[in-house]
Amino acid sequence: MEVERGIHGTWEHIAPQINKQITAIQNDDTKTKITESCIAEIQKNKSFIDLLSEINISEIGIHGEIEKILRKDPVVSLPIDYIPNDLEEWADNLKIKVEIQLVEKFSDKDGNVLFNMPDLELKTSDEKFEKELKDISDKKPENLLELVVKAGFLREGEKVYMEYGPKGTKKKRFEGIVHINGIEVNGVIASPSISSLRCIQEVSPTRTTNNGWVTWKTMDGKVINDKWEKYKQTIIQ
């Protein structure tokens, strides 16, 4: 991640800075140091180990998982206050993925400040489904749940539930209601992933991501991802 200001200029500062970081992360010595630092931080905080165990990563398997991540191509995350004209052109010419995130600042006459920031952590859970839809259909994947509901695999007003609790504790049950534009929990409608994350944060406030498609279940105990899979089959056929 490289936090930048647009005034620094693409070629004067931003591109050279990021190119140095890309070169560094592709160095084997750097990868070794990152792996060692990650393991040291995880071992200092038991909550990290508990969180990893929830997604079936054992303490002995942490080293291998980190190495697996570092073998993948890096992704550049670039929060910036405005986007210079040539920044996107430069990003498109890189061989690795660059995510440019516009961070907007608003203030009023009383000195109150509000920042508008893209919530990437909460939207990445749906990226896999969006790519699948793009691969098999010309439909625009703006609201995946809407497609599933309109196809009749989920009903508006249908109840769904999820259960969550840290390892070794009793799981708390949450219930939601399916709408065409999201799942309603406590009067608030949001995407499956965001609504499930908000439930999880009632128990584990530090949790920042969750895939609601494999968390929410219909009352027969099946995850709503099963409904997505059935919807895909109707397009393929």
Side-chain angles (χ1 to χ4, degrees), residues 22 52 59 79 173 179 217 223:
I22 293 171
L52 290 170
E59 189 168 354
R173 181 182 172 105
H179 291 268
K217 298 179 179 180
V223 294

Side-chain angles (χ1 to χ4, degrees), residues 1-6 10 14 18 75-94 96-103 116-120 123:
M1 175 177 284
E2 174 70 9
V3 181
E4 281 291 354
R5 297 190 62 195
T10 299
I14 299 173
I18 292 176
V75 176
V76 176
S77 179
L78 181 56
I80 193 166
D81 58 350
Y82 87 87
I83 301 174
N85 293 333
D86 52 0
L87 183 61
E88 291 181 335
E89 180 183 354
W90 163 79
D92 289 340
N93 286 322
L94 281 185
I96 64 174
K97 183 178 179 181
V98 179
E99 294 179 342
I100 301 174
Q101 302 127 32
L102 180 63
V103 179
N116 180 36
M117 305 179 70
D119 208 340
L120 295 180
K123 78 177 184 180

Side-chain angles (χ1 to χ4, degrees), residues 45-55 122 162-174 193-210:
N45 192 332
K46 186 178 180 298
S47 64
F48 284 157
I49 296 175
D50 292 340
L51 184 60
L52 290 170
S53 69
E54 289 177 21
I55 54 175
L122 298 181
M162 58 171 281
E163 294 177 326
Y164 176 79
K167 187 177 180 180
T169 65
K170 184 178 179 181
K171 294 183 182 294
K172 182 175 180 180
R173 181 182 172 105
F174 300 89
S193 294
I194 295 177
S195 59
S196 65
L197 178 62
R198 287 172 175 162
C199 293
I200 288 173
Q201 287 177 336
E202 290 187 21
V203 180
S204 299
T206 58
R207 184 73 172 264
T208 58
T209 61
N210 187 63

Side-chain angles (χ1 to χ4, degrees), residues 136-198:
I136 61 178
S137 171
D138 59 358
K139 292 179 181 292
K140 190 177 182 182
E142 291 182 346
N143 185 345
L144 303 179
L145 189 63
E146 179 181 356
L147 300 177
V148 176
V149 171
K150 284 185 173 180
F153 294 108
L154 285 170
R155 304 185 313 276
E156 274 206 271
E158 182 175 350
K159 286 186 177 181
V160 291
Y161 75 96
M162 58 171 281
E163 294 177 326
Y164 176 79
K167 187 177 180 180
T169 65
K170 184 178 179 181
K171 294 183 182 294
K172 182 175 180 180
R173 181 182 172 105
F174 300 89
E175 292 192 353
I177 300 172
V178 174
H179 291 268
I180 202 163
N181 59 335
I183 293 177
E184 177 185 349
V185 180
N186 297 328
V188 179
I189 300 174
S191 73
S193 294
I194 295 177
S195 59
S196 65
L197 178 62
R198 287 172 175 162

Side-chain angles (χ1 to χ4, degrees), residues 61-77:
I62 293 173
H63 187 281
E65 291 296 328
I66 295 172
E67 288 189 332
K68 191 187 300 181
I69 292 170
L70 292 176
R71 283 197 296 269
K72 298 178 181 179
D73 288 335
V75 176
V76 176
S77 179

